Amino acid sequence: MQKTFKLSGVCAATVLVACASTGAMAASGLTIYGTLDASLERNNLKTSPLTVAATGAVAPLAGSAASDVSTTRVSNGIMTQSFIGFQGVEDLGGGLEVSFKLESYLDVDTGATSSNDLTNSLLSGSNTYNARDKGGFWGRNAYVGIKTNYGLFRLGQMDSLGYLSAERFSPFGASKLTPSRIFYKTDYYSQGWSNAVAYFAKVGKVGAAAMYSAKETTNETNPGLGAKWATTVGYFDDQFSASLGYENNKSSVGVTPTLAVPNGANFPATNESWFLNSFYDFGVAKLFAQYGYGKLDRKAVTSPDAVSKGYQLGVSVPFGDRFKAIASFSNGKIHLESVSPTVDGLEARDVKIFTIGSTYDLSKRTNLYAVFSNEKNDYQLPTGLGILNREVKETTVALGVRHSF
């Protein structure tokens, strides 16, 4: 349930305080909203030794030993990352409307401000997936929008088009355990873009969007993020929806040596992604399907390029008005393309994620959930020592409550 306050005149102090003015300004609305998600979680992370493929010996590197760690904890944001938000709208008349949105992630288990960043692939150019370009208190969304008769324009930091598609076409939405996260773990796209301008338009049930993120910094000591752009087009209806999207991300984060590419020539690079999504609601069950393709083209000829392919299949089955069972499976793979015959065609990563769960609505704003997730990652990493192998398995069980306001 969203709390809406009518503001007239000048608003001061903080976003939580409204005051009145005698000025003859148009009325606008401020809405305070959000979601709090807390759970009891049991997590097991099992890692095999990092071995040399040619000999089977454990690699002489730090962190090469096997590990098996189980943790019981109070967790935040298993089904929906907890956040608080403020948004407002002012109708200027004549089809013109101005709006804003400010949202911050929260950790319910500690009370701290958080981000949605999670550990990424060893092959990635970044340390996290599901990540925003920038952090900070308003790291979830911070933008101003202008709606006209010709569409909606937004300026600021906002959800990427790829992320919006992945969230809409998965039975688990934006859950930390959704199998749709393969589209981040195999380097398709990032969750949020900074320094962005976006345009959204819809005619009937057909919608289209475009987004551009400016690079803004160019010096060698602070190279920033490369300019990137994306576009989507789709048909949107409650019973059936489908969308096709494309993203082009030119990275300029500098030379970054990794275990996968010991010569350090990972960047600059260009990452192109295609994503196709759909769902169909039969009434007795709602089916979801996603497919993604990505190509990471590194500038240095001696550094291998990476091709990502992945899919997600899911189902949501309602039982009455309050109970719902959901399940989803995904598989993502990365193959390398290289001038080196020993690396060319190597399946560098194979990640499989299966998640099953259920939700029970106590009210329109509060529900209980139970979820089980199993993730398996197989790595083959080209290094100066040869091809290294590692397998990582993670199992999660969680019981939680989610409340929206």
Side-chain angles (χ1 to χ4, degrees):
M1 180 179 183
Q2 297 181 337
K3 305 295 185 183
T4 302
F5 302 87
K6 290 298 181 181
L7 304 182
S8 177
V10 180
C11 298
T14 71
V15 292
L16 295 174
V17 179
C19 63
S21 166
T22 58
M25 297 179 65
S28 62
L30 172 66
T31 302
I32 302 174
Y33 62 99
T35 296
L36 302 179
D37 182 330
S39 62
L40 182 63
E41 177 194 2
R42 176 69 174 179
N43 178 272
N44 176 257
L45 184 62
K46 185 179 294 185
T47 304
S48 71
L50 187 63
T51 59
V52 181
T55 64
V58 177
L61 297 171
S64 292
S67 65
D68 189 347
V69 179
S70 294
T71 307
T72 301
R73 57 199 176 200
V74 174
S75 288
N76 165 72
I78 289 291
M79 290 294 282
T80 303
Q81 178 74 358
S82 300
F83 74 97
I84 186 170
F86 305 87
Q87 65 181 6
V89 178
E90 183 177 16
D91 189 348
L92 301 180
L96 189 63
E97 185 178 277
V98 177
S99 62
F100 76 89
K101 183 175 285 189
L102 297 171
E103 295 178 342
S104 176
Y105 287 115
L106 300 173
D107 279 344
V108 175
D109 52 334
T110 65
T113 303
S114 69
S115 72
N116 209 28
D117 297 355
L118 301 173
T119 304
N120 201 358
S121 161
L122 297 174
L123 299 171
S124 176
S126 62
N127 294 325
T128 57
Y129 73 94
N130 228 27
R132 321 293 293 197
D133 285 346
K134 303 290 184 183
F137 188 79
W138 301 117
R140 192 175 195 264
N141 275 297
Y143 61 78
V144 175
I146 301 176
K147 183 179 179 181
T148 73
N149 293 325
Y150 304 99
L152 171 64
F153 297 86
R154 288 176 180 168
L155 291 163
Q157 198 275 150
M158 65 197 78
D159 293 330
S160 71
L161 299 182
Y163 170 75
L164 291 173
S165 295
E167 179 184 23
R168 179 179 177 85
F169 293 95
S170 167
F172 288 89
S175 167
K176 285 184 178 179
L177 301 181
T178 177
S180 291
R181 68 187 187 274
I182 65 157
F183 299 115
Y184 306 103
K185 302 192 82 168
T186 48
D187 301 322
Y188 289 97
Y189 37 74
S190 58
Q191 179 188 349
W193 286 12
S194 298
N195 308 317
V197 55
Y199 171 72
F200 301 86
K202 191 174 182 182
V203 179
K205 295 182 179 181
V206 177
M211 187 177 293
Y212 174 77
S213 174
K215 181 178 178 180
E216 291 202 358
T217 53
T218 58
N219 64 79
E220 294 181 359
T221 59
N222 184 26
L225 297 167
K228 50 193 175 185
W229 63 275
T231 184
T232 60
V233 62
Y235 176 87
F236 302 99
D237 182 72
D238 290 340
Q239 183 177 23
F240 169 74
S241 290
S243 71
L244 175 67
Y246 171 80
E247 179 177 308
N248 186 295
N249 183 355
K250 296 186 182 299
S251 176
S252 61
V253 294
V255 176
T256 308
T258 69
L259 188 64
V261 187
N263 63 11
N266 266 347
F267 296 95
T270 298
N271 190 19
E272 293 184 279
S273 303
W274 289 91
F275 36 98
L276 177 64
N277 313 278
S278 67
F279 70 70
Y280 192 93
D281 192 344
F282 291 91
V284 295
K286 188 175 183 178
L287 303 182
F288 300 81
Q290 296 175 289
Y291 177 79
Y293 172 88
K295 174 67 179 293
L296 180 64
D297 187 2
R298 296 186 173 104
K299 182 178 181 180
V301 177
T302 55
S303 295
D305 297 332
V307 175
S308 303
K309 298 178 181 180
Y311 68 89
Q312 180 268 142
L313 299 173
V315 62
S316 173
V317 182
F319 294 90
D321 296 332
R322 297 182 175 230
F323 184 81
K324 182 169 60 177
I326 46 181
S328 184
F329 174 79
S330 65
N331 183 206
K333 297 184 178 183
I334 297 177
H335 289 85
L336 301 184
E337 295 181 348
S338 174
V339 295
S340 171
T342 59
V343 176
D344 189 43
L346 180 70
E347 186 176 279
R349 189 175 189 197
D350 184 355
V351 53
K352 297 181 177 70
I353 305 174
F354 171 72
T355 305
I356 187 169
S358 62
T359 65
Y360 181 80
D361 294 333
L362 296 176
S363 70
K364 291 183 178 180
R365 296 187 290 131
T366 304
N367 65 47
L368 305 177
Y369 63 83
V371 62
F372 167 84
S373 182
N374 180 267
E375 177 178 338
K376 180 182 177 183
N377 282 271
D378 291 315
Y379 295 95
Q380 294 189 86
L381 310 176
T383 72
L385 300 173
I387 305 298
L388 303 185
N389 296 330
R390 167 157 276 177
E391 181 181 84
V392 179
K393 296 180 180 180
E394 184 172 11
T395 302
T396 301
V397 179
L399 301 173
V401 58
R402 179 172 43 175
H403 175 77
S404 297
F405 59 92

